[in-house]
Amino acid sequence: MGGGIVLLDGSVIRTRHRTGKENRKNYSGKDKCHGLLVIALTDDRGRLLWISAARPGRTSEITACRHDKLTRKLREAGLGAIADLGFVGLDDAGPDTDPAVITGYKAARNRPLTRGQKLSNTALAALGAPVEHGLAHLRNWRVLGKVRTDPAWATALVRALLVLTNREVAR
């Protein structure tokens, strides 16, 4: 890898519930709310660098990253990303290439984690905390809770709020 490390995470931003069949795709079964999913890249201090397009809440984080071809873009930029366990399997490159996305280890029913794997998960979780702060700064905008429109319009709003969030946090 040539450059630096960014932090990767996704979040469902709660929106108002609309009635009708067209809004069912905005319901996130994982978070038990209506909302829009955004994927964010932050630096090691929690400053938001990039926000994906807003997608319906039912979309999984890993699917959204694959749709955006995020691993390819990270490799082209010479960046590596640290992500949580929700992104395990995102970087399916061969064993000879440097990983673009570094995640922890998941335990299976018949294969518990070793002590080293648990320590690795703990270290990665501590490194990933700033991305949660960056997303929290974005979710603080009350206008996002009032969004009732389609994800295409919400994408423009979220990206505009990205600029405003960076300006407010930098003060």
Side-chain angles (χ1 to χ4, degrees), residues 72-135:
R72 182 178 55 83
K73 291 177 183 176
L74 286 170
R75 279 198 177 85
E76 288 173 358
L79 294 173
I82 295 175
D84 60 13
L85 293 179
F87 295 93
V88 170
L90 175 62
D91 190 9
D92 51 2
D96 297 335
T97 61
D98 288 333
V101 179
I102 299 168
T103 60
Y105 298 95
K106 279 189 178 180
R109 192 174 291 164
N110 59 353
R111 186 184 43 85
L113 295 179
T114 64
R115 185 166 185 254
Q117 289 172 331
K118 288 179 184 177
L119 288 173
S120 175
N121 281 355
T122 304
L124 286 174
L127 288 173
V131 73
E132 300 294 342
H133 294 290
L135 283 168

Side-chain angles (χ1 to χ4, degrees), residues 3 12 19 54 56 58 66 83 85 93 138 140 148 170:
V12 172
T19 58
R58 72 176 179 191
R66 286 185 175 143
L85 293 179
L138 183 69
N140 281 341
R148 294 180 68 160

Side-chain angles (χ1 to χ4, degrees), residues 131-154:
V131 73
E132 300 294 342
H133 294 290
L135 283 168
H137 287 302
L138 183 69
R139 282 191 302 258
N140 281 341
W141 293 96
R142 288 191 340 208
V143 71
L144 287 175
K146 300 182 186 319
V147 171
R148 294 180 68 160
T149 60
D150 65 308
W153 185 85

Side-chain angles (χ1 to χ4, degrees), residues 37-73:
L37 175 77
V38 293
I39 305 295
L41 290 176
T42 65
D43 64 3
D44 60 342
R45 295 177 61 199
R47 289 183 301 231
L48 290 166
L49 303 173
W50 176 81
I51 294 278
S52 72
R55 292 200 165 72
R58 72 176 179 191
T59 309
S60 73
E61 295 172 340
I62 197 165
T63 302
C65 289
R66 286 185 175 143
H67 188 290
D68 287 339
K69 297 176 180 55
L70 193 58
T71 54
R72 182 178 55 83
K73 291 177 183 176

